[in-house]
């Protein structure tokens, strides 16, 4: 595999270690987590007061698939953007600790952050259209990503971009290559973004509702591509979604968020046995074909969940 990334011997050792399954006899210490967040708080100061978007979120993840679920406004996207330091004033981000692969994200300078963004940590934004350059043809943007991250020739970049479009199941790659971003449907835009974000083979991919505009079959194919990268390259995936069933079947662990806080962290395969009343409420409010209900339950919320632990 060719990559222009400068990996420290420690980081490389960690890859190999994880590939074999942690805990070989030569390990001096357990592999450090890929991402550690302690007590993340994000406030937005507005004219009508302060919105506490994230209120004391802590998590630690390795090269695994972590799902983040929670109703609209619970702080999922803001959490993802905070990791990449993409929150702008009037937003204020504070945390006791935020470390990615040994790099302190709170104190890193802008130059370090630019090197991390898109290369070591990539994020598929919830609305992909805002992330594409509107005055550059789609294919040229993907090819440029190859040229920047993989240092390949112009011709090779074009070939690889077309391959990438095929990999995310775009039926007519030549046509999409020459399209402008505004000519793409929502689902196509989402696939183009996924393709672009996977090119640098990031260590951590934050995918914010990456498949919400896709048909079930295409969504499954795109998930399979991400799954493959997680297992073959040891990528960590933070998968933000509204779809509890999807997260339960696709992820390793699930974080349930409510009003900017973590309500519960649970093994994905045990999600449907969750005991926390908020998680139970989320599960009960899912419409089911196999078990028709006369009405959908509304979510019950307990003010005590907002209190500081
Ligand atoms: N730039 C901003 N300025 C002010 N408030 C913001 C800003 N961005 C987010 N917020 C607020 O932060 C809170 C959390 O927003 P966030 O986008 O993280 O929710 P979410 O969990 O991703 O929701 P959804 O499922 O709808 O995408 C919301 O109350 C939102 O209004
Ligand atoms: Mg969101």
């Amino acid at each position: 595999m060719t990559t222009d990334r400068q990996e420290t011997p420690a980081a490389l050792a960690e890859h190999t270690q994880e590939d074999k399954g942690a805990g070989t006899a030569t390990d001096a210490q357990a592999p450090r987590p890929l991402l550690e967040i302690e007590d993340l708080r994000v406030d937005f100061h507005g004219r009508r007061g302060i919105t506490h978007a994230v209120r004391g979120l802590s998590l630690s993840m390795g090269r695994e698939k972590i799902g983040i679920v929670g109703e609209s406004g619970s702080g999922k996207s803001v959490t993802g953007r905070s990791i990449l330091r993409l929150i702008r004033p009037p937003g204020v981000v504070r945390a006791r600790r935020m470390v990615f692969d040994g790099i302190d994200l709170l104190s890193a300078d802008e130059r370090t952050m630019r090197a991390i963004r898109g290369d070591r940590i990539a994020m598929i934004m919830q609305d992909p259209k805002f992330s594409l350059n509107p005055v550059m043809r789609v294919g040229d943007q993907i090819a440029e990503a190859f040229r920047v991250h993989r240092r390949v020739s112009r011709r090779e970049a074009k070939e690889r971009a077309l391959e990438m479009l095929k990999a995310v199941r775009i039926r007519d790659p030549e046509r999409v290559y020459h399209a402008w971003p505004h000519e793409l449907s929502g689902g196509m835009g989402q696939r183009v973004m996924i393709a672009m974000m996977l090119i640098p083979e990031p260590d951590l991919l934050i995918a914010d509702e990456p498949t919400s505009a896709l048909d079930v079959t295409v969504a499954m194919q795109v998930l399979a591509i991400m799954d493959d990268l997680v297992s073959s390259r040891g990528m960590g995936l933070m998968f933000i979604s509204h779809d509890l069933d999807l997260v339960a079947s696709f992820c390793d662990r699930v974080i349930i968020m409510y009003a900017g806080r973590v309500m519960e962290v649970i093994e994905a395969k045990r999600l449907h046995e969750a005991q926390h009343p908020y998680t139970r409420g989320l599960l009960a409010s899912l419409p089911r074909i196999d078990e028709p209900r006369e009405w959908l339950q509304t979510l019950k919320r307990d003010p005590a969940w907002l209190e500081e632990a």
Side-chain angles (χ1 to χ4, degrees):
M1 182 181 53
T2 50
T3 159
D4 58 353
R5 179 171 309 139
Q6 286 171 358
E7 304 222 52
T8 59
L12 284 172
E14 194 179 311
H15 289 214
T16 5
Q17 211 174 73
E18 295 252 339
D19 287 346
K20 288 184 203 142
T24 54
T26 49
D27 291 349
Q29 61 201 62
R32 66 178 172 215
L34 185 62
L35 177 72
E36 277 180 286
I37 302 177
E38 260 179 49
D39 200 22
L40 173 69
R41 289 164 191 274
V42 185
D43 295 333
F44 289 97
H45 296 255
R47 244 182 265 152
R48 271 183 247 125
I50 303 178
T51 308
H52 303 288
V54 181
R55 327 175 182 222
L57 174 139
S58 299
L59 73 88
S60 172
M61 70 175 284
R63 294 169 188 273
E64 60 179 321
K65 291 172 285 185
I66 287 263
I68 301 193
V69 298
E71 65 196 289
S72 188
S74 54
K76 307 182 295 294
S77 298
V78 167
T79 300
R81 277 163 39 215
S82 304
I83 296 166
L84 282 168
R85 288 231 317 250
L86 291 173
I87 302 285
R88 301 276 170 249
V92 177
V93 179
R94 283 169 298 154
R96 229 185 353 248
R97 199 172 138 75
M98 192 143 75
V99 178
F100 164 72
D101 201 19
I103 304 164
D104 183 356
L105 297 176
L106 294 169
S107 64
D109 57 19
E110 249 324 287
R111 206 169 137 245
T112 311
M113 285 312 297
R114 271 200 302 273
I116 290 174
R117 282 187 207 117
D119 191 25
R120 302 212 52 205
I121 308 179
M123 181 164 180
I124 300 168
M125 299 283 175
Q126 196 164 5
D127 194 335
K129 286 210 173 164
F130 290 122
S131 311
L132 290 170
N133 181 347
V135 295
M136 194 171 170
R137 289 185 195 271
V138 168
D140 292 337
Q141 299 191 46
I142 304 175
E144 181 160 295
F146 269 113
R147 282 166 54 75
V148 169
H149 292 290
R150 302 297 194 82
R151 296 176 201 235
V152 296
S153 72
R154 218 168 266 279
R155 226 187 89 189
E156 193 182 345
K158 177 168 183 191
E159 271 164 29
R160 307 266 302 260
L162 284 168
E163 268 166 33
M164 205 68 193
L165 287 173
K166 272 188 225 143
V168 289
R169 307 297 189 270
I170 289 202
R171 232 173 294 142
D172 188 354
E174 277 285 349
R175 188 178 68 81
V176 171
Y177 189 97
H178 292 102
W180 298 103
H182 72 265
E183 295 170 335
L184 300 181
S185 69
M188 276 177 171
Q190 220 162 25
R191 274 176 280 173
V192 167
M193 279 311 295
I194 292 166
M196 282 189 66
M197 291 303 132
L198 293 179
I199 289 166
E201 297 193 348
D203 294 285
L204 173 62
L205 176 66
I206 303 169
D208 196 350
E209 305 271 2
T211 55
S212 57
L214 305 180
D215 304 336
V216 180
T217 45
V218 178
M220 288 304 154
Q221 289 166 340
V222 164
L223 288 178
I225 297 170
M226 289 199 269
D227 198 31
D228 191 45
L229 273 174
V230 172
S231 45
S232 67
R233 190 175 184 278
M235 181 179 82
L237 176 68
M238 189 179 275
F239 186 78
I240 301 175
S241 175
H242 272 106
D243 190 334
L244 272 78
D245 283 332
L246 182 68
V247 162
S249 63
F250 181 65
C251 294
D252 303 312
R253 289 194 294 153
V254 185
I255 292 174
I256 292 106
M257 278 186 79
Y258 168 65
R261 299 181 142 261
V262 175
M263 290 292 108
E264 178 168 33
V265 183
I266 190 164
E267 245 184 281
K269 54 177 182 284
R270 294 185 42 242
L271 181 63
H272 289 277
E273 306 155 26
Q275 292 307 311
H276 192 286
Y278 181 70
T279 316
R280 295 249 40 103
L282 271 184
L283 290 165
S285 61
L286 280 181
R288 301 209 77 103
I289 300 173
D290 53 337
E291 224 180 275
R293 298 192 173 99
E294 280 190 33
W295 63 82
L296 290 176
Q297 263 172 274
T298 44
L299 277 174
K300 290 185 191 70
R301 300 165 175 89
D302 185 339
W305 299 340
L306 294 178
E307 280 160 24
E308 297 284 326

